[in-house]
Amino acid sequence: MSARVRIVIIGGSFGGLTTAYELRRHLGRERAEVTLLAKDEHFRFVPSFPWVAMGRRNLEQISFPLAQPLAKKHVAFAQETVINIDTDAKVVSTTHAEHPYDFLVVATGHRSANEAVPGLGPFDGPGHSPMSAKETEELAQAIRGLLADPGPVVVGAAPGASCIGPVYELAFELDHLLRQRKLRHQVPIAVLTPEPFLGHMGMGGAGTIRQLLEGALEERDITYRTSVAITRITTEAVEAEGLVPTPSLCSIVIPPLAGVEAVAASPGLSNPKGFVPVDDHYRHKTADGVYAVGVAVALPPAGETPVPVNFPKTGHMTEQMAEIAVRDLAARIDGREGTTAELSARCVLDMGDRGAYMAVDPVRPPRNRIPTVSEGRRWLYTKQAFERAYLATARRGRRMPTTLGW
Ligand SMILES: Cc1cc2nc3c(=O)[nH]c(=O)nc-3n(C[C@H](O)[C@H](O)[C@H](O)COP(=O)(O)OP(=O)(O)OC[C@H]3O[C@@H](n4cnc5c(N)ncnc54)[C@H](O)[C@@H]3O)c2cc1C
């Protein structure tokens, strides 16, 4: 291999940015030429999308342009949309150029598979979901509409969803907002989840989180149903298998996810859902020199459930995947193999007036440690402080320790 390897990263979010920063920790400029491609010129702190939806933040407050911190790290940045990855020729094609690589890290996140349930939205149907910046702005507008003209709300997830945490956050935050405005009595809130029990979250639950969520929803008069297979969302209701339609004027339903078009359409790169199959080092199972991290990775569900729920891929998990992939990539340049580790997860759930902290190690049961679950106002402050610290640190080209907040 030549002295200076060419490494291309696709994606400028938690997976891509962590990969870039970690690569520079392991490989100096003289050893690697690193290029990051992303279709969005900004990094956005996605876990704060629910706060944007509730009007507690705007997108600008949770974003920064990628170019400057990457330049500081001697990582070339190009705001380009990838359209094809040729894993035989080792070339990434974008709408603007071709980028040959020796190593490629795919960190392209998801595409919302809104076609899975008629009515999932917002741009394909009347449903709403904060899965991207644009969709979050649309949801913020829908919530402003709800405050002006109150009516019933459903917050839920479609069968096969993997990003369940925001369902609870959105229900609790909306409840809190409505109470502050003295409008809660005009807005029945129903949670409809495909999970077999509350707090399963695609990872088989976490200690006593089920009991915590049941109590917290009941305390707040938020009704809930589990093992729900949503079949259609209309402008007036959410329909589900075996249930009478739940009236809803504002249906916030998290969709199942798929891989982005460019990854799904590139021959030999992904599984039928468009996710990238990887080994324990986040190395592609067959394509030479290719790694994938974050939501782009194919991970099997944590067991069968009556209604499908997929395995979560949180920001915290994404950063661990990037660390493992980079360790392996750097070691392979020297003809060795990197060390790997089971993923753990730490997560703080915003409950409106307080927060709930969960730590699982490893994410997939059975676990070595009894999960930690804790509730209190301090966790809400921790989540808020983590967001600020993360943005301030990352925009300076540095990394936050992955063990904190989230
Ligand atoms: C509402 C919500 C709340 C969440 N809350 C939490 C939380 O509290 N804690 C937590 O740990 N996790 C949370 N998550 C999960 C977390 O946001 C994800 O795990 C994380 O964003 C995954 O990062 P990623 O880099 O894999 O992908 P993404 O964040 O999806 O980023 C994908 C990147 O790829 C780029 N891209 C995509 N396609 C192309 C293309 N064709 N060409 C070029 N670039 C492309 C995009 O521009 C983007 O930069 C939440 C997720 C959501 C949606």
Side-chain angles (χ1 to χ4, degrees):
M1 192 166 289
S2 70
R4 208 160 176 253
V5 295
R6 293 163 304 179
I7 305 172
V8 173
I9 304 164
I10 316 175
S13 183
F14 293 99
L17 201 61
T18 305
T19 301
Y21 290 177
E22 281 295 295
L23 276 171
R24 275 297 176 240
R25 216 163 59 78
H26 289 264
L27 299 168
R29 267 193 289 171
E30 68 298 344
R31 301 204 61 199
E33 176 191 310
V34 184
T35 304
L36 188 146
L37 309 170
K39 64 177 182 186
D40 189 339
E41 67 174 310
H42 288 99
F43 172 89
R44 303 201 190 273
F45 194 80
V46 178
S48 296
F49 281 177
W51 290 341
V52 174
M54 298 298 147
R56 299 193 189 279
R57 297 277 189 285
N58 60 47
L59 278 183
E60 210 179 307
Q61 290 168 317
I62 61 157
S63 309
F64 62 81
L66 288 161
Q68 209 184 342
L70 288 173
K72 222 168 145 181
K73 288 286 182 194
H74 307 288
V75 171
F77 170 63
Q79 186 195 351
E80 294 176 18
T81 299
V82 171
I83 48 175
N84 187 60
I85 299 157
D86 184 336
T87 53
D88 293 327
K90 295 193 165 184
V91 175
V92 175
S93 303
T94 72
T95 38
H96 294 69
E98 300 215 317
H99 299 269
Y101 65 83
D102 299 306
F103 291 100
L104 172 69
V105 182
V106 178
T108 42
H110 76 276
R111 173 181 77 79
S112 291
N114 286 346
E115 67 280 6
V117 174
L120 280 173
F123 306 115
D124 301 309
H128 309 276
S129 73
M131 299 307 292
S132 68
K134 223 168 119 194
E135 289 165 316
T136 301
E137 283 191 315
E138 192 280 340
L139 174 57
Q141 196 181 339
I143 288 173
R144 285 195 295 274
L146 180 77
L147 297 177
D149 187 12
V153 170
V154 164
V155 187
S162 52
C163 185
I164 308 280
V167 171
Y168 297 109
E169 290 199 316
L170 289 159
F172 287 130
E173 287 173 25
L174 189 58
D175 166 83
H176 185 61
L177 179 65
L178 289 162
R179 279 178 209 283
Q180 284 180 322
R181 304 287 174 103
K182 306 269 184 280
L183 290 171
R184 181 65 175 90
H185 66 296
Q186 295 182 52
V187 184
I189 303 176
V191 166
L192 301 182
T193 176
E195 301 161 283
F197 54 85
L198 296 183
H200 178 282
M201 303 214 196
M203 59 177 178
T208 53
I209 192 69
R210 168 188 182 154
Q211 290 80 357
L212 187 154
L213 288 171
E214 283 173 356
L217 291 175
E218 283 162 15
E219 189 174 71
R220 289 165 175 77
D221 302 318
I222 301 173
T223 61
Y224 59 83
R225 297 199 74 134
T226 54
S227 289
V228 174
I230 293 176
T231 52
R232 197 158 82 106
I233 298 156
T234 67
T235 48
E236 284 127 39
V238 173
E239 297 173 13
E241 241 169 63
L243 296 181
V244 290
T246 310
S248 176
L249 296 182
C250 178
S251 307
I252 310 169
V253 180
I254 303 291
L257 305 183
V260 301
E261 283 94 342
V263 172
S266 296
L269 190 59
S270 66
N271 69 13
K273 282 189 181 167
F275 291 122
V276 182
V278 290
D279 66 12
D280 287 352
H281 300 275
Y282 296 93
R283 213 192 278 164
H284 194 283
K285 287 197 170 158
T286 53
D288 183 48
V290 177
Y291 291 80
V293 300
V295 177
V297 163
L299 294 177
E304 291 261 314
T305 47
V307 178
V309 187
N310 276 306
F311 198 66
K313 298 163 206 167
T314 67
H316 180 213
M317 291 161 71
T318 297
E319 296 214 338
Q320 293 168 69
M321 293 184 212
E323 287 167 4
I324 295 167
V326 170
R327 274 206 303 270
D328 189 68
L329 194 162
R332 276 179 81 201
I333 292 174
D334 295 331
R336 294 178 289 111
E337 187 167 83
T339 52
T340 187
E342 282 279 347
L343 299 178
S344 61
R346 290 188 172 77
C347 185
V348 180
L349 200 79
D350 178 3
M351 299 172 71
D353 57 347
R354 60 200 128 126
Y357 172 76
M358 277 178 294
V360 285
D361 183 14
V363 181
R364 209 177 275 277
R367 303 185 176 112
N368 297 324
R369 293 197 192 151
I370 292 176
T372 308
V373 175
S374 163
E375 185 184 359
R377 199 175 278 265
R378 69 186 182 285
W379 294 118
L380 185 54
Y381 299 144
T382 303
K383 193 169 173 87
Q384 290 162 350
F386 183 74
E387 175 219 51
R388 282 194 296 275
Y390 191 102
L391 285 164
T393 311
R395 65 154 46 100
R396 285 198 204 101
R398 298 212 310 266
R399 286 203 58 211
M400 275 288 283
T402 51
T403 48
L404 299 171
W406 286 104

